[in-house]
Amino acid sequence: MSTRAADTLTVALAQIAPIWLDREATLQKMLTWVESAAREGASLVAFSEGLLPGYPFWVEHTDGARFESPLQKRLYAHYCDQAVQIDAGHLAPLCAAAARHRIWIVCGVIERDGARGLSVFASMVTIDVEGAIRSVHRKLMPTYEERLVWSPGDAHGLRCHPLGAFRLGSLNCWENWMPLARAALYAQGESLHVAGWPGSRRNTETITPFIAREGRSFALSVSSVLHRDALPHHLPEFAVLRDHLPDVMADGGSCIAGPDGRFLIEPVVGREELLLAQLDHTRVREERQTFDPFGHYSRPELLSLVVDGKRVSGLQRSDSGP
Protein backbone atom coordinates (compact mmCIF):
# COMPACT_ATOMS: atom_id res chain seq x y z
CA MET A 1 0.00 0.00 0.00
CA SER A 2 1.37 3.44 -0.90
CA THR A 3 2.00 5.97 1.84
CA ARG A 4 -0.77 8.18 0.51
CA ALA A 5 -3.30 5.33 0.45
CA ALA A 6 -2.38 4.43 4.03
CA ASP A 7 -3.00 8.05 5.03
CA THR A 8 -6.55 8.24 3.67
CA LEU A 9 -9.81 7.16 5.27
CA THR A 10 -13.39 7.34 4.01
CA VAL A 11 -15.90 8.19 6.74
CA ALA A 12 -19.69 8.34 6.81
CA LEU A 13 -22.09 10.24 9.04
CA ALA A 14 -25.57 8.70 9.18
CA GLN A 15 -27.94 11.58 9.89
CA ILE A 16 -31.16 9.65 10.43
CA ALA A 17 -34.33 9.63 12.51
CA PRO A 18 -34.81 6.92 15.09
CA ILE A 19 -37.99 4.92 15.31
CA TRP A 20 -38.39 6.90 18.47
CA LEU A 21 -38.19 4.96 21.73
CA ASP A 22 -38.33 1.63 19.91
CA ARG A 23 -34.98 -0.12 20.30
CA GLU A 24 -35.51 -3.05 17.95
CA ALA A 25 -37.02 -1.03 15.11
CA THR A 26 -34.32 1.64 15.37
CA LEU A 27 -31.60 -1.01 15.41
CA GLN A 28 -32.94 -2.57 12.22
CA LYS A 29 -32.91 0.84 10.56
CA MET A 30 -29.34 1.47 11.67
CA LEU A 31 -28.25 -1.81 10.12
CA THR A 32 -29.47 -0.69 6.70
CA TRP A 33 -27.45 2.53 6.99
CA VAL A 34 -24.35 0.61 8.05
CA GLU A 35 -24.74 -1.47 4.90
CA SER A 36 -25.14 1.68 2.80
CA ALA A 37 -22.02 3.23 4.31
CA ALA A 38 -20.01 0.07 3.64
CA ARG A 39 -21.29 -0.04 0.08
CA GLU A 40 -19.95 3.50 -0.40
CA GLY A 41 -16.51 2.38 0.76
CA ALA A 42 -16.59 3.91 4.24
CA SER A 43 -14.24 2.51 6.88
CA LEU A 44 -16.19 4.26 9.66
CA VAL A 45 -19.85 5.12 10.11
CA ALA A 46 -21.07 7.29 12.99
CA PHE A 47 -24.54 7.76 14.47
CA SER A 48 -25.89 10.51 16.73
CA GLU A 49 -26.12 10.84 20.50
CA GLY A 50 -28.70 8.57 22.08
CA LEU A 51 -30.06 7.48 18.71
CA LEU A 52 -30.76 3.98 20.02
CA PRO A 53 -33.58 4.17 21.05
CA GLY A 54 -33.83 7.98 21.06
CA TYR A 55 -33.22 11.25 22.88
CA PRO A 56 -35.67 12.13 25.74
CA PHE A 57 -37.32 15.06 23.98
CA TRP A 58 -40.45 14.69 26.10
CA VAL A 59 -38.84 16.03 29.30
CA GLU A 60 -38.64 19.67 28.20
CA HIS A 61 -42.20 19.77 26.89
CA THR A 62 -44.24 17.74 29.39
CA ASP A 63 -43.42 19.31 32.77
CA GLY A 64 -40.60 16.84 33.29
CA ALA A 65 -39.45 18.28 36.63
CA ARG A 66 -42.79 17.67 38.35
CA PHE A 67 -42.15 15.41 41.34
CA GLU A 68 -44.04 12.09 41.53
CA SER A 69 -45.67 12.66 38.14
CA PRO A 70 -47.45 9.49 36.90
CA LEU A 71 -46.83 10.62 33.32
CA GLN A 72 -43.08 11.01 33.84
CA LYS A 73 -42.91 7.68 35.64
CA ARG A 74 -44.63 5.86 32.78
CA LEU A 75 -42.38 7.45 30.17
CA TYR A 76 -39.25 6.71 32.19
CA ALA A 77 -40.28 3.09 32.71
CA HIS A 78 -40.72 2.71 28.95
CA TYR A 79 -37.32 4.35 28.37
CA CYS A 80 -35.68 1.84 30.71
CA ASP A 81 -37.40 -1.03 28.91
CA GLN A 82 -36.11 0.20 25.54
CA ALA A 83 -32.59 1.06 26.72
CA VAL A 84 -29.59 -0.94 25.51
CA GLN A 85 -28.22 -3.62 27.80
CA ILE A 86 -24.85 -4.49 26.32
CA ASP A 87 -24.33 -7.63 28.40
CA ALA A 88 -27.72 -8.89 27.20
CA GLY A 89 -26.49 -8.79 23.60
CA HIS A 90 -28.67 -5.94 22.38
CA LEU A 91 -25.81 -4.65 20.20
CA ALA A 92 -24.93 -8.08 18.77
CA PRO A 93 -26.54 -7.31 15.37
CA LEU A 94 -24.48 -4.11 15.05
CA CYS A 95 -21.31 -5.97 16.03
CA ALA A 96 -22.07 -8.66 13.44
CA ALA A 97 -22.67 -5.99 10.79
CA ALA A 98 -19.35 -4.30 11.63
CA ALA A 99 -17.52 -7.61 11.18
CA ARG A 100 -19.43 -8.56 8.04
CA HIS A 101 -18.78 -5.25 6.31
CA ARG A 102 -15.34 -4.63 7.86
CA ILE A 103 -16.38 -1.20 9.10
CA TRP A 104 -15.97 0.65 12.39
CA ILE A 105 -19.15 1.92 14.03
CA VAL A 106 -19.51 4.75 16.54
CA CYS A 107 -23.05 5.01 17.84
CA GLY A 108 -24.92 6.85 20.56
CA VAL A 109 -27.07 4.62 22.76
CA ILE A 110 -29.11 4.90 25.90
CA GLU A 111 -27.39 2.31 28.05
CA ARG A 112 -28.74 0.48 31.09
CA ASP A 113 -26.53 -1.65 33.28
CA GLY A 114 -28.98 -4.46 33.94
CA ALA A 115 -26.80 -6.05 36.60
CA ARG A 116 -26.65 -2.95 38.80
CA GLY A 117 -29.89 -1.06 38.53
CA LEU A 118 -32.44 0.80 36.48
CA SER A 119 -30.54 4.01 35.79
CA VAL A 120 -29.61 4.92 32.22
CA PHE A 121 -26.61 6.61 30.65
CA ALA A 122 -26.05 8.44 27.38
CA SER A 123 -23.19 6.37 25.99
CA MET A 124 -21.04 6.39 22.87
CA VAL A 125 -20.12 2.88 21.80
CA THR A 126 -17.17 2.16 19.51
CA ILE A 127 -17.18 -1.13 17.57
CA ASP A 128 -14.22 -2.26 15.45
CA VAL A 129 -13.99 -4.21 12.19
CA GLU A 130 -13.86 -7.51 14.06
CA GLY A 131 -17.21 -6.72 15.65
CA ALA A 132 -15.65 -6.17 19.08
CA ILE A 133 -16.89 -3.39 21.35
CA ARG A 134 -13.74 -1.39 22.01
CA SER A 135 -15.16 1.17 24.42
CA VAL A 136 -18.40 2.38 26.00
CA HIS A 137 -18.12 6.02 27.02
CA ARG A 138 -20.84 7.17 29.40
CA LYS A 139 -21.54 10.90 29.13
CA LEU A 140 -19.70 12.61 31.98
CA MET A 141 -22.39 15.16 32.78
CA PRO A 142 -25.95 15.23 31.41
CA THR A 143 -27.03 18.71 30.35
CA TYR A 144 -29.83 20.60 32.10
CA GLU A 145 -33.12 18.67 31.72
CA GLU A 146 -31.22 15.54 30.70
CA ARG A 147 -30.31 15.19 34.39
CA LEU A 148 -33.94 14.26 35.09
CA VAL A 149 -33.46 11.13 32.95
CA TRP A 150 -29.78 10.26 32.55
CA SER A 151 -27.19 9.43 35.21
CA PRO A 152 -23.72 11.04 35.23
CA GLY A 153 -21.11 8.81 33.66
CA ASP A 154 -17.41 8.22 34.25
CA ALA A 155 -14.08 8.26 32.44
CA HIS A 156 -13.80 4.50 31.94
CA GLY A 157 -14.61 4.78 28.22
CA LEU A 158 -12.72 8.02 27.60
CA ARG A 159 -10.32 6.35 25.16
CA CYS A 160 -8.87 6.62 21.68
CA HIS A 161 -8.44 3.76 19.23
CA PRO A 162 -6.10 3.28 16.25
CA LEU A 163 -7.93 3.41 12.93
CA GLY A 164 -5.49 3.30 10.01
CA ALA A 165 -3.22 6.33 10.32
CA PHE A 166 -5.71 7.98 12.68
CA ARG A 167 -6.54 7.86 16.39
CA LEU A 168 -10.31 7.81 16.93
CA GLY A 169 -12.07 9.35 19.93
CA SER A 170 -15.62 10.50 20.70
CA LEU A 171 -17.68 12.61 23.08
CA ASN A 172 -21.39 13.20 23.64
CA CYS A 173 -23.01 16.57 22.93
CA TRP A 174 -22.13 19.30 25.43
CA GLU A 175 -19.24 17.35 26.97
CA ASN A 176 -17.50 18.45 23.78
CA TRP A 177 -17.40 21.85 25.53
CA MET A 178 -15.51 20.37 28.52
CA PRO A 179 -11.84 21.39 28.06
CA LEU A 180 -10.44 18.56 30.18
CA ALA A 181 -12.53 15.90 28.45
CA ARG A 182 -11.17 17.08 25.11
CA ALA A 183 -7.67 17.22 26.56
CA ALA A 184 -7.95 13.61 27.75
CA LEU A 185 -8.47 12.57 24.13
CA TYR A 186 -5.84 14.90 22.71
CA ALA A 187 -3.34 13.40 25.15
CA GLN A 188 -3.98 9.97 23.62
CA GLY A 189 -3.04 11.27 20.19
CA GLU A 190 -6.57 11.82 18.89
CA SER A 191 -6.68 12.92 15.27
CA LEU A 192 -10.24 11.88 14.36
CA HIS A 193 -12.94 13.18 16.70
CA VAL A 194 -16.60 12.11 16.62
CA ALA A 195 -19.02 14.47 18.38
CA GLY A 196 -22.51 13.03 18.82
CA TRP A 197 -25.52 15.40 19.10
CA PRO A 198 -29.29 14.89 19.37
CA GLY A 199 -29.83 17.19 16.39
CA SER A 200 -29.43 20.95 16.12
CA ARG A 201 -27.39 23.14 13.81
CA ARG A 202 -26.98 25.70 16.59
CA ASN A 203 -24.93 23.12 18.51
CA THR A 204 -22.71 21.95 15.68
CA GLU A 205 -21.94 24.97 13.50
CA THR A 206 -19.57 26.74 15.91
CA ILE A 207 -17.98 23.98 17.97
CA THR A 208 -17.13 21.62 15.11
CA PRO A 209 -14.55 23.89 13.45
CA PHE A 210 -13.34 24.99 16.89
CA ILE A 211 -12.57 21.43 18.05
CA ALA A 212 -10.93 20.65 14.72
CA ARG A 213 -8.73 23.72 14.93
CA GLU A 214 -7.87 23.28 18.61
CA GLY A 215 -7.01 19.60 18.26
CA ARG A 216 -5.52 19.95 14.76
CA SER A 217 -7.74 16.97 13.95
CA PHE A 218 -10.68 16.07 11.79
CA ALA A 219 -13.93 16.74 13.69
CA LEU A 220 -17.09 14.85 12.72
CA SER A 221 -20.35 16.09 14.23
CA VAL A 222 -23.24 13.69 13.73
CA SER A 223 -26.85 14.51 14.60
CA SER A 224 -30.30 13.03 14.15
CA VAL A 225 -33.52 14.40 12.72
CA LEU A 226 -36.96 13.87 14.23
CA HIS A 227 -40.37 15.33 13.36
CA ARG A 228 -43.51 14.95 15.41
CA ASP A 229 -45.38 13.28 12.56
CA ALA A 230 -42.86 10.41 12.76
CA LEU A 231 -43.79 9.43 16.34
CA PRO A 232 -44.77 5.74 16.55
CA HIS A 233 -48.43 5.38 17.43
CA HIS A 234 -47.74 2.54 19.86
CA LEU A 235 -45.81 4.78 22.27
CA PRO A 236 -47.20 5.05 25.79
CA GLU A 237 -48.93 8.41 26.27
CA PHE A 238 -48.93 8.91 22.50
CA ALA A 239 -51.75 11.47 22.62
CA VAL A 240 -49.97 13.56 25.24
CA LEU A 241 -46.71 13.45 23.30
CA ARG A 242 -48.45 14.35 20.03
CA ASP A 243 -50.11 17.35 21.68
CA HIS A 244 -47.06 18.70 23.50
CA LEU A 245 -44.00 17.99 21.39
CA PRO A 246 -42.97 20.56 18.75
CA ASP A 247 -43.24 19.89 15.03
CA VAL A 248 -39.45 19.56 14.78
CA MET A 249 -37.49 18.08 17.68
CA ALA A 250 -34.20 17.55 15.86
CA ASP A 251 -33.16 19.25 12.63
CA GLY A 252 -29.77 17.64 12.01
CA GLY A 253 -26.71 19.81 11.59
CA SER A 254 -24.21 17.02 10.85
CA CYS A 255 -20.94 18.34 9.45
CA ILE A 256 -17.19 17.73 9.12
CA ALA A 257 -14.31 20.15 9.69
CA GLY A 258 -10.64 19.67 8.86
CA PRO A 259 -7.55 20.29 11.02
CA ASP A 260 -7.40 23.91 9.87
CA GLY A 261 -10.91 24.53 11.22
CA ARG A 262 -12.53 24.85 7.80
CA PHE A 263 -15.64 22.91 6.87
CA LEU A 264 -15.24 19.95 4.55
CA ILE A 265 -19.02 19.47 4.77
CA GLU A 266 -21.11 22.33 6.16
CA PRO A 267 -24.04 21.55 8.48
CA VAL A 268 -26.80 19.61 6.71
CA VAL A 269 -30.24 20.48 8.06
CA GLY A 270 -33.73 19.05 7.85
CA ARG A 271 -33.29 15.70 6.14
CA GLU A 272 -31.91 12.21 6.49
CA GLU A 273 -28.67 11.81 4.61
CA LEU A 274 -25.49 9.74 4.52
CA LEU A 275 -22.61 12.22 4.48
CA LEU A 276 -19.34 10.91 3.06
CA ALA A 277 -15.84 12.35 3.06
CA GLN A 278 -12.34 11.13 2.36
CA LEU A 279 -9.90 12.28 5.04
CA ASP A 280 -6.14 12.55 4.58
CA HIS A 281 -3.92 12.25 7.66
CA THR A 282 -1.31 14.35 5.88
CA ARG A 283 -3.47 17.36 6.75
CA VAL A 284 -3.15 16.53 10.46
CA ARG A 285 0.62 16.41 10.23
CA GLU A 286 0.73 19.66 8.28
CA GLU A 287 -1.36 21.58 10.81
CA ARG A 288 0.59 20.22 13.78
CA GLN A 289 3.73 21.83 12.42
CA THR A 290 2.78 24.96 14.37
CA PHE A 291 0.59 23.53 17.16
CA ASP A 292 0.44 20.05 18.68
CA PRO A 293 -1.66 20.21 21.89
CA PHE A 294 0.08 17.31 23.64
CA GLY A 295 3.30 17.38 21.63
CA HIS A 296 5.74 20.22 21.11
CA TYR A 297 3.21 22.83 22.26
CA SER A 298 2.66 21.32 25.71
CA ARG A 299 4.50 21.87 28.97
CA PRO A 300 4.05 18.55 30.81
CA GLU A 301 6.47 19.57 33.57
CA LEU A 302 4.08 22.45 34.39
CA LEU A 303 0.65 21.27 33.28
CA SER A 304 -0.78 17.75 33.47
CA LEU A 305 -4.13 15.98 33.54
CA VAL A 306 -5.07 13.02 35.75
CA VAL A 307 -7.93 10.80 34.55
CA ASP A 308 -9.56 8.26 36.88
CA GLY A 309 -10.63 5.55 34.44
CA LYS A 310 -12.37 3.20 36.87
CA ARG A 311 -15.96 2.24 36.11
CA VAL A 312 -18.01 3.94 38.82
CA SER A 313 -19.95 1.60 41.08
CA GLY A 314 -21.69 2.04 44.41
CA LEU A 315 -20.28 -1.25 45.67
CA GLN A 316 -16.67 -1.98 46.57
CA ARG A 317 -16.12 -5.39 48.15
CA SER A 318 -13.12 -6.24 50.30
CA ASP A 319 -13.77 -10.01 50.25
CA SER A 320 -13.77 -12.46 47.35
CA GLY A 321 -17.54 -12.75 47.08
CA PRO A 322 -19.54 -12.06 43.89
Side-chain angles (χ1 to χ4, degrees):
M1 181 182 294
S2 68
T3 301
R4 177 154 182 80
D7 276 339
T8 60
L9 183 76
T10 299
V11 298
L13 305 183
Q15 178 166 288
I16 66 173
I19 311 302
W20 196 52
L21 308 190
D22 187 326
R23 183 184 64 239
E24 186 57 35
T26 300
L27 179 60
Q28 293 304 312
K29 182 173 182 177
M30 291 171 70
L31 292 173
T32 66
W33 286 74
V34 170
E35 182 176 354
S36 295
R39 194 164 52 242
E40 294 291 338
S43 296
L44 165 73
V45 60
F47 295 91
S48 63
E49 180 190 41
L51 181 73
L52 187 64
Y55 185 86
F57 291 109
W58 77 83
V59 177
E60 179 182 358
H61 302 285
T62 59
D63 202 10
R66 183 169 297 280
F67 193 66
E68 296 289 4
S69 162
L71 171 67
Q72 298 303 321
K73 289 182 178 183
R74 285 192 291 272
L75 289 170
Y76 182 80
H78 178 74
Y79 208 42
C80 283
D81 290 342
Q82 295 300 310
V84 170
Q85 294 183 63
I86 293 174
D87 289 345
H90 290 166
L91 294 183
L94 270 182
C95 292
R100 183 168 60 253
H101 297 296
R102 305 297 294 173
I103 188 171
W104 285 70
I105 299 172
V106 176
C107 58
V109 308
I110 303 306
E111 180 202 0
R112 175 160 72 91
D113 186 346
R116 290 197 175 107
L118 290 170
S119 295
V120 297
F121 304 87
S123 298
M124 291 291 280
V125 177
T126 300
I127 303 169
D128 69 16
V129 294
E130 303 294 335
I133 294 176
R134 297 291 293 274
S135 61
V136 179
H137 171 55
R138 293 174 174 174
K139 188 173 185 178
L140 298 169
M141 177 52 65
T143 303
Y144 205 56
E145 76 272 10
E146 294 170 358
R147 299 177 198 180
L148 296 167
V149 182
W150 297 342
S151 298
D154 54 43
H156 178 72
L158 199 59
R159 307 164 188 251
C160 288
H161 309 284
L163 175 49
F166 293 86
R167 296 277 297 175
L168 168 67
S170 62
L171 292 173
N172 292 279
C173 199
W174 272 26
E175 66 180 352
N176 285 283
W177 287 111
M178 298 174 71
L180 297 185
R182 297 196 307 272
L185 298 179
Y186 298 160
Q188 297 174 59
E190 184 187 54
S191 53
L192 178 58
H193 181 81
V194 175
W197 307 88
S200 172
R201 178 175 185 158
R202 63 181 170 79
N203 278 325
T204 63
E205 65 183 350
T206 55
I207 196 171
T208 307
F210 167 77
I211 288 180
R213 181 66 169 161
E214 178 185 63
R216 297 305 201 265
S217 301
F218 287 95
L220 286 56
S221 279
V222 57
S223 298
S224 64
V225 292
L226 185 63
H227 295 178
R228 182 173 56 181
D229 59 11
L231 297 182
H233 287 73
H234 61 267
L235 287 175
E237 306 295 339
F238 170 77
V240 174
L241 295 170
R242 179 197 59 205
D243 292 344
H244 287 80
L245 291 174
D247 289 339
V248 178
M249 285 163 275
D251 69 356
S254 299
C255 54
I256 298 176
D260 59 358
R262 297 180 182 178
F263 279 119
L264 277 68
I265 298 177
E266 295 195 5
V268 173
V269 175
R271 64 184 184 272
E272 292 189 313
E273 188 167 333
L274 186 70
L275 308 179
L276 293 151
Q278 186 176 78
L279 313 182
D280 188 342
H281 191 272
T282 303
R283 292 292 300 118
V284 176
R285 302 197 295 274
E286 289 174 348
E287 292 302 319
R288 293 197 186 182
Q289 185 261 335
T290 51
F291 182 78
D292 188 352
F294 270 81
H296 62 76
Y297 216 95
S298 63
R299 291 294 304 275
E301 77 281 14
L302 302 177
L303 302 169
S304 62
L305 172 65
V306 176
V307 176
D308 184 348
K310 296 191 300 292
R311 178 61 88 206
V312 171
S313 170
L315 175 66
Q316 302 292 331
R317 295 190 68 100
S318 58
D319 59 16
S320 58

